[in-house]
PDB file of all heavy atoms in Angstrom:
ATOM      1  N   LEU A  21      48.425 -71.541  30.513  1.00 98.00           N
ATOM      2  CA  LEU A  21      47.899 -70.762  29.383  1.00 98.00           C
ATOM      3  C   LEU A  21      49.121 -70.181  28.519  1.00 98.00           C
ATOM      4  O   LEU A  21      50.068 -69.802  29.099  1.00 98.00           O
ATOM      5  CB  LEU A  21      46.958 -69.701  29.770  1.00 98.00           C
ATOM      6  CG  LEU A  21      45.678 -70.161  30.251  1.00 98.00           C
ATOM      7  CD1 LEU A  21      44.863 -69.053  30.985  1.00 98.00           C
ATOM      8  CD2 LEU A  21      44.721 -70.657  29.107  1.00 98.00           C
ATOM      9  N   ASN A  22      48.921 -70.136  27.229  1.00 97.00           N
ATOM     10  CA  ASN A  22      49.872 -69.559  26.369  1.00 97.00           C
ATOM     11  C   ASN A  22      49.099 -68.638  25.398  1.00 97.00           C
ATOM     12  O   ASN A  22      47.922 -68.689  25.286  1.00 97.00           O
ATOM     13  CB  ASN A  22      50.614 -70.650  25.628  1.00 97.00           C
ATOM     14  CG  ASN A  22      49.797 -71.612  24.733  1.00 97.00           C
ATOM     15  OD1 ASN A  22      49.116 -71.109  23.846  1.00 97.00           O
ATOM     16  ND2 ASN A  22      49.810 -72.872  25.143  1.00 97.00           N
ATOM     17  N   PRO A  23      49.817 -67.746  24.671  1.00 98.00           N
ATOM     18  CA  PRO A  23      49.197 -66.788  23.834  1.00 98.00           C
ATOM     19  C   PRO A  23      48.269 -67.490  22.773  1.00 98.00           C
ATOM     20  O   PRO A  23      47.379 -66.816  22.311  1.00 98.00           O
ATOM     21  CB  PRO A  23      50.376 -66.135  23.168  1.00 98.00           C
ATOM     22  CG  PRO A  23      51.465 -66.117  24.221  1.00 98.00           C
ATOM     23  CD  PRO A  23      51.351 -67.517  24.787  1.00 98.00           C
ATOM     24  N   GLU A  24      48.555 -68.722  22.378  1.00 97.00           N
ATOM     25  CA  GLU A  24      47.774 -69.366  21.416  1.00 97.00           C
ATOM     26  C   GLU A  24      46.375 -69.677  21.917  1.00 97.00           C
ATOM     27  O   GLU A  24      45.477 -70.082  21.196  1.00 97.00           O
ATOM     28  CB  GLU A  24      48.436 -70.703  20.929  1.00 97.00           C
ATOM     29  CG  GLU A  24      49.563 -70.386  19.970  1.00 97.00           C
ATOM     30  CD  GLU A  24      50.821 -69.823  20.729  1.00 97.00           C
ATOM     31  OE1 GLU A  24      51.199 -70.309  21.785  1.00 97.00           O
ATOM     32  OE2 GLU A  24      51.407 -68.922  20.168  1.00 97.00           O
ATOM     33  N   ASP A  25      46.184 -69.615  23.234  1.00 98.00           N
ATOM     34  CA  ASP A  25      44.845 -69.806  23.844  1.00 98.00           C
ATOM     35  C   ASP A  25      43.970 -68.574  23.776  1.00 98.00           C
ATOM     36  O   ASP A  25      42.818 -68.662  24.249  1.00 98.00           O
ATOM     37  CB  ASP A  25      45.028 -70.270  25.327  1.00 98.00           C
ATOM     38  CG  ASP A  25      45.816 -71.581  25.443  1.00 98.00           C
ATOM     39  OD1 ASP A  25      45.464 -72.583  24.625  1.00 98.00           O
ATOM     40  OD2 ASP A  25      46.707 -71.726  26.320  1.00 98.00           O
ATOM     41  N   THR A  26      44.546 -67.451  23.355  1.00 98.00           N
ATOM     42  CA  THR A  26      43.765 -66.205  23.258  1.00 98.00           C
ATOM     43  C   THR A  26      42.646 -66.441  22.291  1.00 98.00           C
ATOM     44  O   THR A  26      42.809 -66.787  21.129  1.00 98.00           O
ATOM     45  CB  THR A  26      44.658 -65.081  22.814  1.00 98.00           C
ATOM     46  OG1 THR A  26      45.612 -64.867  23.860  1.00 98.00           O
ATOM     47  CG2 THR A  26      43.840 -63.902  22.662  1.00 98.00           C
ATOM     48  N   ALA A  27      41.378 -66.197  22.803  1.00 98.00           N
ATOM     49  CA  ALA A  27      40.242 -66.290  21.934  1.00 98.00           C
ATOM     50  C   ALA A  27      39.036 -65.954  22.778  1.00 98.00           C
ATOM     51  O   ALA A  27      39.109 -65.758  23.935  1.00 98.00           O
ATOM     52  CB  ALA A  27      40.138 -67.746  21.488  1.00 98.00           C
ATOM     53  N   ILE A  28      37.823 -65.937  22.084  1.00 98.00           N
ATOM     54  CA  ILE A  28      36.587 -65.843  22.689  1.00 98.00           C
ATOM     55  C   ILE A  28      36.181 -67.260  22.984  1.00 98.00           C
ATOM     56  O   ILE A  28      36.127 -68.120  22.025  1.00 98.00           O
ATOM     57  CB  ILE A  28      35.597 -65.070  21.978  1.00 98.00           C
ATOM     58  CG1 ILE A  28      35.977 -63.636  21.718  1.00 98.00           C
ATOM     59  CG2 ILE A  28      34.196 -65.129  22.605  1.00 98.00           C
ATOM     60  CD1 ILE A  28      35.050 -62.869  20.751  1.00 98.00           C
ATOM     61  N   TYR A  29      35.871 -67.647  24.230  1.00 98.00           N
ATOM     62  CA  TYR A  29      35.428 -69.007  24.575  1.00 98.00           C
ATOM     63  C   TYR A  29      33.947 -69.008  24.698  1.00 98.00           C
ATOM     64  O   TYR A  29      33.366 -68.277  25.420  1.00 98.00           O
ATOM     65  CB  TYR A  29      36.106 -69.413  25.888  1.00 98.00           C
ATOM     66  CG  TYR A  29      37.621 -69.739  25.692  1.00 98.00           C
ATOM     67  CD1 TYR A  29      38.545 -68.742  25.343  1.00 98.00           C
ATOM     68  CD2 TYR A  29      38.013 -71.103  25.751  1.00 98.00           C
ATOM     69  CE1 TYR A  29      39.853 -69.169  25.189  1.00 98.00           C
ATOM     70  CE2 TYR A  29      39.345 -71.397  25.505  1.00 98.00           C
ATOM     71  CZ  TYR A  29      40.290 -70.438  25.258  1.00 98.00           C
ATOM     72  OH  TYR A  29      41.593 -70.745  25.051  1.00 98.00           O
ATOM     73  N   TYR A  30      33.321 -70.069  24.046  1.00 98.00           N
ATOM     74  CA  TYR A  30      31.950 -70.258  24.035  1.00 98.00           C
ATOM     75  C   TYR A  30      31.580 -71.585  24.649  1.00 98.00           C
ATOM     76  O   TYR A  30      32.304 -72.561  24.415  1.00 98.00           O
ATOM     77  CB  TYR A  30      31.402 -70.206  22.571  1.00 98.00           C
ATOM     78  CG  TYR A  30      31.568 -69.000  21.848  1.00 98.00           C
ATOM     79  CD1 TYR A  30      32.825 -68.809  21.152  1.00 98.00           C
ATOM     80  CD2 TYR A  30      30.634 -67.901  21.796  1.00 98.00           C
ATOM     81  CE1 TYR A  30      33.030 -67.653  20.373  1.00 98.00           C
ATOM     82  CE2 TYR A  30      30.905 -66.753  21.107  1.00 98.00           C
ATOM     83  CZ  TYR A  30      32.056 -66.684  20.427  1.00 98.00           C
ATOM     84  OH  TYR A  30      32.230 -65.455  19.629  1.00 98.00           O
ATOM     85  N   CYS A  31      30.521 -71.693  25.400  1.00 98.00           N
ATOM     86  CA  CYS A  31      29.989 -72.894  25.721  1.00 98.00           C
ATOM     87  C   CYS A  31      28.777 -73.169  25.017  1.00 98.00           C
ATOM     88  O   CYS A  31      28.080 -72.344  24.519  1.00 98.00           O
ATOM     89  CB  CYS A  31      29.676 -72.947  27.318  1.00 98.00           C
ATOM     90  SG  CYS A  31      28.288 -71.963  27.892  1.00 98.00           S
ATOM     91  N   ALA A  32      28.472 -74.439  24.777  1.00 98.00           N
ATOM     92  CA  ALA A  32      27.408 -74.838  23.941  1.00 98.00           C
ATOM     93  C   ALA A  32      26.808 -76.170  24.413  1.00 98.00           C
ATOM     94  O   ALA A  32      27.497 -76.994  25.002  1.00 98.00           O
ATOM     95  CB  ALA A  32      27.852 -74.957  22.517  1.00 98.00           C
ATOM     96  N   THR A  33      25.530 -76.436  24.140  1.00 97.00           N
ATOM     97  CA  THR A  33      24.988 -77.680  24.498  1.00 97.00           C
ATOM     98  C   THR A  33      24.087 -78.232  23.351  1.00 97.00           C
ATOM     99  O   THR A  33      23.595 -77.442  22.513  1.00 97.00           O
ATOM    100  CB  THR A  33      24.179 -77.609  25.770  1.00 97.00           C
ATOM    101  OG1 THR A  33      23.838 -78.828  26.344  1.00 97.00           O
ATOM    102  CG2 THR A  33      22.892 -76.822  25.646  1.00 97.00           C
ATOM    103  N   THR A  34      23.818 -79.418  23.317  1.00 96.00           N
ATOM    104  CA  THR A  34      23.065 -80.139  22.238  1.00 96.00           C
ATOM    105  C   THR A  34      21.578 -79.961  22.548  1.00 96.00           C
ATOM    106  O   THR A  34      21.113 -79.672  23.614  1.00 96.00           O
ATOM    107  CB  THR A  34      23.343 -81.607  22.170  1.00 96.00           C
ATOM    108  OG1 THR A  34      23.220 -82.251  23.454  1.00 96.00           O
ATOM    109  CG2 THR A  34      24.830 -81.813  21.723  1.00 96.00           C
ATOM    110  N   ASN A  35      20.820 -80.114  21.428  1.00 94.00           N
ATOM    111  CA  ASN A  35      19.341 -79.985  21.547  1.00 94.00           C
ATOM    112  C   ASN A  35      18.709 -81.167  22.110  1.00 94.00           C
ATOM    113  O   ASN A  35      17.934 -81.118  22.970  1.00 94.00           O
ATOM    114  CB  ASN A  35      18.790 -79.745  20.163  1.00 94.00           C
ATOM    115  CG  ASN A  35      17.234 -79.688  20.190  1.00 94.00           C
ATOM    116  OD1 ASN A  35      16.577 -80.657  19.748  1.00 94.00           O
ATOM    117  ND2 ASN A  35      16.671 -78.584  20.626  1.00 94.00           N
ATOM    118  N   GLY A  36      19.201 -82.334  21.702  1.00 91.00           N
ATOM    119  CA  GLY A  36      18.667 -83.606  22.117  1.00 91.00           C
ATOM    120  C   GLY A  36      19.309 -84.041  23.460  1.00 91.00           C
ATOM    121  O   GLY A  36      20.359 -83.636  23.858  1.00 91.00           O
ATOM    122  N   ARG A  37      18.586 -84.948  24.069  1.00 93.00           N
ATOM    123  CA  ARG A  37      19.118 -85.539  25.361  1.00 93.00           C
ATOM    124  C   ARG A  37      19.467 -87.040  25.099  1.00 93.00           C
ATOM    125  O   ARG A  37      18.838 -87.673  24.341  1.00 93.00           O
ATOM    126  CB  ARG A  37      18.066 -85.444  26.419  1.00 93.00           C
ATOM    127  CG  ARG A  37      17.690 -84.019  26.750  1.00 93.00           C
ATOM    128  CD  ARG A  37      16.712 -83.934  27.971  1.00 93.00           C
ATOM    129  NE  ARG A  37      17.379 -84.255  29.186  1.00 93.00           N
ATOM    130  CZ  ARG A  37      16.784 -84.654  30.371  1.00 93.00           C
ATOM    131  NH1 ARG A  37      15.485 -84.669  30.353  1.00 93.00           N
ATOM    132  NH2 ARG A  37      17.497 -84.879  31.459  1.00 93.00           N
ATOM    133  N   TYR A  38      20.449 -87.424  25.864  1.00 94.00           N
ATOM    134  CA  TYR A  38      20.916 -88.825  25.862  1.00 94.00           C
ATOM    135  C   TYR A  38      21.255 -89.337  24.498  1.00 94.00           C
ATOM    136  O   TYR A  38      20.922 -90.399  24.091  1.00 94.00           O
ATOM    137  CB  TYR A  38      19.793 -89.723  26.494  1.00 94.00           C
ATOM    138  CG  TYR A  38      19.421 -89.287  27.862  1.00 94.00           C
ATOM    139  CD1 TYR A  38      18.155 -88.672  28.143  1.00 94.00           C
ATOM    140  CD2 TYR A  38      20.268 -89.407  28.956  1.00 94.00           C
ATOM    141  CE1 TYR A  38      17.856 -88.251  29.498  1.00 94.00           C
ATOM    142  CE2 TYR A  38      20.031 -89.027  30.273  1.00 94.00           C
ATOM    143  CZ  TYR A  38      18.701 -88.410  30.446  1.00 94.00           C
ATOM    144  OH  TYR A  38      18.470 -87.957  31.740  1.00 94.00           O
ATOM    145  N   GLN A  39      21.951 -88.489  23.781  1.00 90.00           N
ATOM    146  CA  GLN A  39      22.411 -88.791  22.406  1.00 90.00           C
ATOM    147  C   GLN A  39      23.596 -89.753  22.510  1.00 90.00           C
ATOM    148  O   GLN A  39      24.390 -89.760  23.398  1.00 90.00           O
ATOM    149  CB  GLN A  39      22.750 -87.520  21.635  1.00 90.00           C
ATOM    150  CG  GLN A  39      21.582 -86.544  21.387  1.00 90.00           C
ATOM    151  CD  GLN A  39      21.927 -85.378  20.541  1.00 90.00           C
ATOM    152  OE1 GLN A  39      23.009 -84.769  20.854  1.00 90.00           O
ATOM    153  NE2 GLN A  39      21.095 -84.996  19.642  1.00 90.00           N
ATOM    154  N   VAL A  40      23.791 -90.481  21.376  1.00 87.00           N
ATOM    155  CA  VAL A  40      24.952 -91.334  21.176  1.00 87.00           C
ATOM    156  C   VAL A  40      26.128 -90.354  21.169  1.00 87.00           C
ATOM    157  O   VAL A  40      26.123 -89.333  20.604  1.00 87.00           O
ATOM    158  CB  VAL A  40      24.819 -92.100  19.899  1.00 87.00           C
ATOM    159  CG1 VAL A  40      26.075 -92.880  19.668  1.00 87.00           C
ATOM    160  CG2 VAL A  40      23.671 -93.074  20.026  1.00 87.00           C
ATOM    161  N   ILE A  41      27.239 -90.835  21.777  1.00 75.00           N
ATOM    162  CA  ILE A  41      28.452 -89.976  21.759  1.00 75.00           C
ATOM    163  C   ILE A  41      29.098 -90.098  20.391  1.00 75.00           C
ATOM    164  O   ILE A  41      29.820 -91.013  20.027  1.00 75.00           O
ATOM    165  CB  ILE A  41      29.435 -90.564  22.788  1.00 75.00           C
ATOM    166  CG1 ILE A  41      28.851 -90.549  24.221  1.00 75.00           C
ATOM    167  CG2 ILE A  41      30.698 -89.724  22.819  1.00 75.00           C
ATOM    168  CD1 ILE A  41      29.654 -91.211  25.305  1.00 75.00           C
ATOM    169  N   VAL A  42      28.841 -89.028  19.612  1.00 77.00           N
ATOM    170  CA  VAL A  42      29.315 -88.882  18.297  1.00 77.00           C
ATOM    171  C   VAL A  42      29.340 -87.387  17.864  1.00 77.00           C
ATOM    172  O   VAL A  42      28.421 -86.729  18.216  1.00 77.00           O
ATOM    173  CB  VAL A  42      28.572 -89.760  17.317  1.00 77.00           C
ATOM    174  CG1 VAL A  42      27.152 -89.338  17.199  1.00 77.00           C
ATOM    175  CG2 VAL A  42      29.278 -89.743  15.887  1.00 77.00           C
ATOM    176  N   GLY A  43      30.373 -87.009  17.209  1.00 91.00           N
ATOM    177  CA  GLY A  43      30.369 -85.665  16.634  1.00 91.00           C
ATOM    178  C   GLY A  43      30.465 -84.515  17.633  1.00 91.00           C
ATOM    179  O   GLY A  43      30.109 -83.400  17.444  1.00 91.00           O
ATOM    180  N   LEU A  44      31.125 -84.788  18.764  1.00 95.00           N
ATOM    181  CA  LEU A  44      31.204 -83.861  19.864  1.00 95.00           C
ATOM    182  C   LEU A  44      32.192 -82.732  19.569  1.00 95.00           C
ATOM    183  O   LEU A  44      32.040 -81.649  20.230  1.00 95.00           O
ATOM    184  CB  LEU A  44      31.717 -84.562  21.140  1.00 95.00           C
ATOM    185  CG  LEU A  44      30.717 -85.595  21.774  1.00 95.00           C
ATOM    186  CD1 LEU A  44      31.373 -86.250  22.994  1.00 95.00           C
ATOM    187  CD2 LEU A  44      29.413 -84.943  22.118  1.00 95.00           C
ATOM    188  N   THR A  45      32.988 -82.811  18.542  1.00 96.00           N
ATOM    189  CA  THR A  45      33.925 -81.762  18.189  1.00 96.00           C
ATOM    190  C   THR A  45      33.316 -80.811  17.147  1.00 96.00           C
ATOM    191  O   THR A  45      34.029 -79.843  16.844  1.00 96.00           O
ATOM    192  CB  THR A  45      35.226 -82.360  17.728  1.00 96.00           C
ATOM    193  OG1 THR A  45      35.054 -83.057  16.473  1.00 96.00           O
ATOM    194  CG2 THR A  45      35.785 -83.269  18.728  1.00 96.00           C
ATOM    195  N   ALA A  46      32.244 -81.078  16.607  1.00 95.00           N
ATOM    196  CA  ALA A  46      31.650 -80.338  15.495  1.00 95.00           C
ATOM    197  C   ALA A  46      30.688 -79.254  16.035  1.00 95.00           C
ATOM    198  O   ALA A  46      29.702 -79.590  16.701  1.00 95.00           O
ATOM    199  CB  ALA A  46      30.951 -81.172  14.526  1.00 95.00           C
ATOM    200  N   THR A  47      30.879 -77.994  15.668  1.00 96.00           N
ATOM    201  CA  THR A  47      30.068 -76.947  16.136  1.00 96.00           C
ATOM    202  C   THR A  47      28.599 -77.158  15.709  1.00 96.00           C
ATOM    203  O   THR A  47      27.662 -76.762  16.465  1.00 96.00           O
ATOM    204  CB  THR A  47      30.549 -75.653  15.582  1.00 96.00           C
ATOM    205  OG1 THR A  47      30.513 -75.639  14.120  1.00 96.00           O
ATOM    206  CG2 THR A  47      31.863 -75.298  16.122  1.00 96.00           C
ATOM    207  N   GLN A  48      28.393 -77.739  14.540  1.00 94.00           N
ATOM    208  CA  GLN A  48      27.003 -77.912  14.052  1.00 94.00           C
ATOM    209  C   GLN A  48      26.153 -78.867  14.786  1.00 94.00           C
ATOM    210  O   GLN A  48      24.973 -78.920  14.649  1.00 94.00           O
ATOM    211  CB  GLN A  48      27.066 -78.339  12.532  1.00 94.00           C
ATOM    212  CG  GLN A  48      27.958 -79.511  12.203  1.00 94.00           C
ATOM    213  CD  GLN A  48      29.326 -79.173  11.747  1.00 94.00           C
ATOM    214  OE1 GLN A  48      29.997 -78.366  12.484  1.00 94.00           O
ATOM    215  NE2 GLN A  48      29.734 -79.659  10.619  1.00 94.00           N
ATOM    216  N   ASN A  49      26.825 -79.666  15.708  1.00 95.00           N
ATOM    217  CA  ASN A  49      26.014 -80.538  16.523  1.00 95.00           C
ATOM    218  C   ASN A  49      25.537 -79.985  17.856  1.00 95.00           C
ATOM    219  O   ASN A  49      24.959 -80.668  18.663  1.00 95.00           O
ATOM    220  CB  ASN A  49      26.889 -81.848  16.794  1.00 95.00           C
ATOM    221  CG  ASN A  49      27.080 -82.653  15.454  1.00 95.00           C
ATOM    222  OD1 ASN A  49      26.214 -82.637  14.660  1.00 95.00           O
ATOM    223  ND2 ASN A  49      28.182 -83.294  15.415  1.00 95.00           N
ATOM    224  N   TYR A  50      25.803 -78.678  18.027  1.00 96.00           N
ATOM    225  CA  TYR A  50      25.372 -77.979  19.194  1.00 96.00           C
ATOM    226  C   TYR A  50      24.310 -76.964  18.835  1.00 96.00           C
ATOM    227  O   TYR A  50      24.591 -76.131  17.927  1.00 96.00           O
ATOM    228  CB  TYR A  50      26.528 -77.378  19.920  1.00 96.00           C
ATOM    229  CG  TYR A  50      27.553 -78.347  20.530  1.00 96.00           C
ATOM    230  CD1 TYR A  50      28.506 -78.927  19.749  1.00 96.00           C
ATOM    231  CD2 TYR A  50      27.429 -78.708  21.869  1.00 96.00           C
ATOM    232  CE1 TYR A  50      29.360 -79.902  20.298  1.00 96.00           C
ATOM    233  CE2 TYR A  50      28.401 -79.609  22.353  1.00 96.00           C
ATOM    234  CZ  TYR A  50      29.253 -80.192  21.528  1.00 96.00           C
ATOM    235  OH  TYR A  50      30.212 -81.113  22.123  1.00 96.00           O
ATOM    236  N   ALA A  51      23.214 -76.985  19.543  1.00 96.00           N
ATOM    237  CA  ALA A  51      22.070 -76.122  19.114  1.00 96.00           C
ATOM    238  C   ALA A  51      22.056 -74.784  19.862  1.00 96.00           C
ATOM    239  O   ALA A  51      21.634 -73.773  19.313  1.00 96.00           O
ATOM    240  CB  ALA A  51      20.803 -76.857  19.419  1.00 96.00           C
ATOM    241  N   TYR A  52      22.668 -74.814  21.145  1.00 97.00           N
ATOM    242  CA  TYR A  52      22.489 -73.582  21.895  1.00 97.00           C
ATOM    243  C   TYR A  52      23.927 -73.131  22.300  1.00 97.00           C
ATOM    244  O   TYR A  52      24.781 -73.892  22.762  1.00 97.00           O
ATOM    245  CB  TYR A  52      21.657 -73.875  23.191  1.00 97.00           C
ATOM    246  CG  TYR A  52      20.323 -74.349  22.841  1.00 97.00           C
ATOM    247  CD1 TYR A  52      19.938 -75.678  22.998  1.00 97.00           C
ATOM    248  CD2 TYR A  52      19.343 -73.451  22.425  1.00 97.00           C
ATOM    249  CE1 TYR A  52      18.619 -76.118  22.693  1.00 97.00           C
ATOM    250  CE2 TYR A  52      18.126 -73.924  22.095  1.00 97.00           C
ATOM    251  CZ  TYR A  52      17.763 -75.216  22.206  1.00 97.00           C
ATOM    252  OH  TYR A  52      16.509 -75.683  21.854  1.00 97.00           O
ATOM    253  N   TRP A  53      24.089 -71.851  22.239  1.00 98.00           N
ATOM    254  CA  TRP A  53      25.377 -71.187  22.452  1.00 98.00           C
ATOM    255  C   TRP A  53      25.285 -70.002  23.286  1.00 98.00           C
ATOM    256  O   TRP A  53      24.301 -69.270  23.252  1.00 98.00           O
ATOM    257  CB  TRP A  53      26.087 -70.825  21.058  1.00 98.00           C
ATOM    258  CG  TRP A  53      26.345 -71.891  20.251  1.00 98.00           C
ATOM    259  CD1 TRP A  53      25.548 -72.653  19.429  1.00 98.00           C
ATOM    260  CD2 TRP A  53      27.632 -72.464  20.030  1.00 98.00           C
ATOM    261  NE1 TRP A  53      26.180 -73.623  18.758  1.00 98.00           N
ATOM    262  CE2 TRP A  53      27.479 -73.558  19.087  1.00 98.00           C
ATOM    263  CE3 TRP A  53      28.960 -72.210  20.538  1.00 98.00           C
ATOM    264  CZ2 TRP A  53      28.601 -74.310  18.627  1.00 98.00           C
ATOM    265  CZ3 TRP A  53      30.047 -72.980  20.155  1.00 98.00           C
ATOM    266  CH2 TRP A  53      29.861 -73.994  19.173  1.00 98.00           C
ATOM    267  N   GLY A  54      26.361 -69.789  24.070  1.00 98.00           N
ATOM    268  CA  GLY A  54      26.420 -68.591  24.890  1.00 98.00           C
ATOM    269  C   GLY A  54      27.049 -67.432  24.025  1.00 98.00           C
ATOM    270  O   GLY A  54      27.381 -67.628  22.870  1.00 98.00           O
TER     271      GLY A  54
END
């Protein structure tokens, strides 16, 4: 770890199941957040 890793870390999951692997890096594609 380095100082640039300092942040609040969130986990999230998608609404749908068995979705095509696409857009995994976009926050808007995750429906539920901690």
Side-chain angles (χ1 to χ4, degrees):
L21 288 164
N22 59 64
E24 287 69 45
D25 296 315
T26 295
I28 299 176
Y29 283 70
Y30 301 88
C31 69
T33 193
T34 54
N35 177 257
R37 299 185 72 196
Y38 305 108
Q39 294 179 318
V40 174
I41 303 174
V42 63
L44 294 176
T45 66
T47 59
Q48 51 264 54
N49 291 329
Y50 294 82
Y52 303 104
W53 294 79

